[in-house]
Structure formats: structure tokens, C-alpha cells
């Protein structure tokens, strides 16, 4: 295999791996710009994965994505009820919601599919090659021959970047996250904006979970979210709360995950494979440590008053 083929395969794996991270992180970016940090994102992802799995067998792949988004939104609604409605602590509530969702999905999965599980019977979304663009050397297969959710993530990054800067609703969202008192004076209802932002983040996380099943793994596994919700939060920090920056940061984390797979395939003797598996999580810690004190987070992020 030539170096060009290796590079193309690596980029393709990077984009494919980054897609669910980008979907979840773009939703979280909207939530945090409204002043709400959703630690329950992990729970919404795993709910979306199970919802997508169950629905895809009945309604097809398209229905699986829709139900996955709704499942993620349901988990986000629970989070919003406590944090936005009752002004509970966002970190504690998010942790509780994630633990609840992980336990609930495991129980429901065993109830629906039994101990044997769903096996590899879940329908999946095929790749959609864009004529002409998919034949560009090196980047063609990586960016223009992917499942539909990859294109959705690309489009969402562009649309959200424009929406936040050039629409009244986007400016209202940013105002709520920076200075809620000024937003109230301008006739904006902060709690309504925050609730809608959290629900949107939940839907995007649910889509991310459904993508894991319907565009990648082809099956559901308990706990398959594997920390992606927390990684998505780190991606938002690395992307400096800007949609395009978030999309670029998701690619970086996708590359880290692809690198660990590549390193394992190379069969380096004497190097524990667990070190390779830890790469994305080590990168998460480095990002959070490196961004401390330098990234300009929304001023009202995490506030309860």
C-alpha cells in the first residue's frame, strides 16, 4: 500500500470517527453559549444509541436517526427540568443524569434483546459518494464519501456559525450566556433560551449516539458511548465555543482515535496496547489543562442565579 493510500485511509478513519464527536460537541457548544454546561451529554449519547438501534429495526435507518435524536432530547429534557427549571447544580445533575441513562439503557437493552443481544442485525447507513469530489486524491474519500451524518455535521458547523453571528436568535443566545441581566432588559427570557439550547444539545447528542450504531458499529453495546460525552465537552473548550473551531477540534480527536488504531495495527512489540487506547482520553486531559485560564468561556457558564 502506497503512502497516499495510507494517508487517505487514515483521513477517512479520522473523519468517520470524528463525526459523532462533532455532532455532540456542536450541540454542547450551543448549550454552553447559553450558559449551561451539560455534563449529562454522555447519557444523551447512549440513549440515542439505544433508541436508534430499536427504531432502525422497525422504521429503517432514517427512523432510527429520528428516534435517536428524540431519545437524546428526552434525557436532555430531564436535565433541563432540574437545572433550568429548578436551578439545580449543573455538574451534579449532569452526573446523575448520565448514571441514570447508562443504567436505564442497559436494563432496557437486556429487556428488549435478552442476554444474546442484538448481534449484527441492525440496518446501517451506507456511504454517499459525491460525484467528482470523492475522486480527489487523498481527501476525496475522507470528506466526500461518508455516511449522511458526516455531511450533516459539516453543514451544522457552517449553519451554526452563521446563525450565532447574524441572527437575532443567535445574538439572544450569546447574550444569555454572557450577561443574563442585560438579556432580560432587552426583553429576552433567559430560561426559555437555555431550555431550548439544552434540548437542541440533547437532540444532537442523540444523533451522535445513533450514528455510532447506524453508521459505524452496526450494533448496540452497553456503555458504547465510552466517554464521548465528556470528550465532546473538551472539544467545545478546544474549539473556543465557536462552531467551526469545534468541528476542527473534533477532527483532532478523531485523528487521535485513528492513531491508536493505526499503532495497534503496526504491532509494536513491547508496548502495551492500553497506552494506545488511552490516547483520546490523554488528549482530553491535556486540552482541559492547557486551556485553563486561556479560553474565553461564556461569562455566565454554570451560573444558577
Amino acid at each position: 500500500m502506497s503512502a497516499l493510500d495510507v494517508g487517505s485511509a487514515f483521513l477517512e478513519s479520522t473523519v468517520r470517527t470524528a463525526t459523532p464527536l462533532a455532532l455532540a460537541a456542536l450541540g454542547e457548544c450551543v448549550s454552553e453559549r447559553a450558559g449551561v454546561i451539560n455534563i449529562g451529554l454522555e447519557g444523551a449519547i447512549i440513549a440515542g444509541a439505544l433508541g436508534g438501534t430499536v427504531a432502525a429495526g422497525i422504521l429503517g435507518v432514517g427512523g432510527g436517526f429520528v428516534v435517536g435524536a428524540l431519545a437524546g432530547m428526552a434525557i436532555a429534557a430531564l436535565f433541563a427540568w432540574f437545572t433550568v427549571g429548578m436551578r439545580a447544580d449543573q455538574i451534579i445533575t449532569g452526573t446523575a443524569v448520565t448514571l441514570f441513562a447508562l443504567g436505564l439503557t442497559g436494563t432496557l437493552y437486556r429487556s428488549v434483546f435478552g442476554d444474546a443481544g442484538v448481534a449484527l442485525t441492525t440496518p446501517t447507513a451506507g456511504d454517499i459518494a459525491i460525484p467528482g469530489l470523492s475522486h480527489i486524491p487523498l481527501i476525496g474519500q475522507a470528506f466526500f464519501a461518508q455516511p449522511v451524518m458526516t455531511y450533516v455535521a459539516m453543514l451544522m458547523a457552517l449553519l451554526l456559525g452563521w446563525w450565532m453571528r447574524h441572527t437575532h436568535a443567535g445574538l439572544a443566545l450569546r447574550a444569555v450566556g454572557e450577561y443574563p441581566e442585560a438579556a432580560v432588559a432587552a426583553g429576552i427570557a433567559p430560561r426559555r433560551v437555555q431550555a431550548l439550547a439544552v434540548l437542541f444539545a440533547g437532540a444532537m447528542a442523540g444523533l451522535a449516539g445513533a450514528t455510532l450504531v447506524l453508521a459505524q458499529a452496526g450494533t448496540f453495546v452497553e456503555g458504547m458511548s465510552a466517554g464521548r460525552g465528556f470528550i465532546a465537552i473538551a472539544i467545545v473548550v478546544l474549539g473556543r465555543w465557536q462552531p467551526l473551531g469545534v468541528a476542527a477540534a473534533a477532527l483532532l480527536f478523531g485523528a487521535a482515535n485513528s492513531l491508536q488504531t493505526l499503532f495497534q495495527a503496526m504491532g509494536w512489540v513491547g508496548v502495551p496496547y492500553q497506552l494506545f487506547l488511552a490516547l483520546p482520553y490523554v488528549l482530553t486531559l491535556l486540552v482541559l489543562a492547557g486551556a485553563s485560564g486561556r479560553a474565553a468561556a461564556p461569562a455566565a457558564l454554570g451560573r444558577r442565579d
Side-chain angles (χ1 to χ4, degrees):
M1 183 179 289
S2 67
L4 184 63
D5 291 335
V6 173
S8 179
F10 174 73
L11 280 177
E12 183 179 3
S13 174
T14 293
V15 174
R16 192 177 296 269
T17 304
T19 296
L21 292 174
L23 290 168
L26 287 169
E28 178 65 12
C29 180
V30 171
S31 178
E32 293 194 17
R33 290 305 294 263
V36 181
I37 181 169
N38 186 359
I39 300 297
L41 205 64
E42 181 86 359
I45 292 175
I46 194 66
L50 181 60
T53 302
V54 175
I58 303 171
L59 304 173
V61 174
F65 283 123
V66 171
V67 174
L70 292 175
M73 190 181 292
I75 295 297
L78 179 63
F79 174 80
W81 173 267
F82 286 102
T83 58
V84 178
M86 302 177 65
R87 313 309 290 177
D89 183 272
Q90 295 174 13
I91 305 300
I92 295 175
T93 303
T95 302
V97 166
T98 289
L99 293 175
F100 167 74
L102 288 170
L104 178 64
T105 53
T107 301
L108 292 177
Y109 175 66
R110 292 177 181 272
S111 299
V112 174
F113 297 106
D115 293 333
V118 69
L120 295 176
T121 59
T122 304
T124 56
D127 295 343
I128 300 175
I130 299 177
L133 296 177
S134 61
H135 296 294
I136 298 175
L138 188 61
I139 66 171
Q141 291 293 308
F143 290 95
F144 306 111
Q146 293 280 356
V148 64
M149 280 300 123
T150 297
Y151 302 120
V152 169
M154 294 178 183
L155 185 60
M156 287 299 298
L158 294 172
L159 289 178
L160 285 175
W162 174 84
W163 178 79
M164 283 188 184
R165 290 182 175 274
H166 300 290
T167 69
H168 176 75
L171 293 174
L173 177 88
R174 292 161 55 194
V176 169
E178 292 292 343
Y179 196 13
E181 293 82 2
V184 171
I188 299 169
R191 291 196 182 190
R192 178 175 178 272
V193 171
Q194 289 181 333
L196 291 174
V198 170
L199 290 177
F200 174 78
M204 291 292 285
L207 274 180
T211 299
L212 285 174
V213 174
L214 304 179
Q216 295 186 5
T219 188
F220 178 86
V221 178
E222 292 182 51
M224 69 183 300
S225 52
R228 286 178 175 85
F230 302 107
I231 292 176
I233 294 172
I235 287 173
V236 174
V237 176
L238 182 60
R240 294 184 177 272
W241 292 271
Q242 300 295 331
L244 291 179
V246 166
L251 286 175
L252 176 62
F253 278 84
N257 193 78
S258 296
L259 273 178
Q260 60 96 356
T261 304
L262 179 62
F263 289 159
Q264 289 186 74
M266 292 171 65
W268 287 356
V269 179
V271 180
Y273 74 92
Q274 290 89 348
L275 292 179
F276 303 138
L277 292 175
L279 270 178
Y281 307 101
V282 171
L283 181 60
T284 302
L285 294 175
L286 291 176
V287 165
L288 292 176
S292 178
R294 293 191 294 143
L301 184 63
R303 280 177 51 179
R304 297 169 57 183
D305 53 346

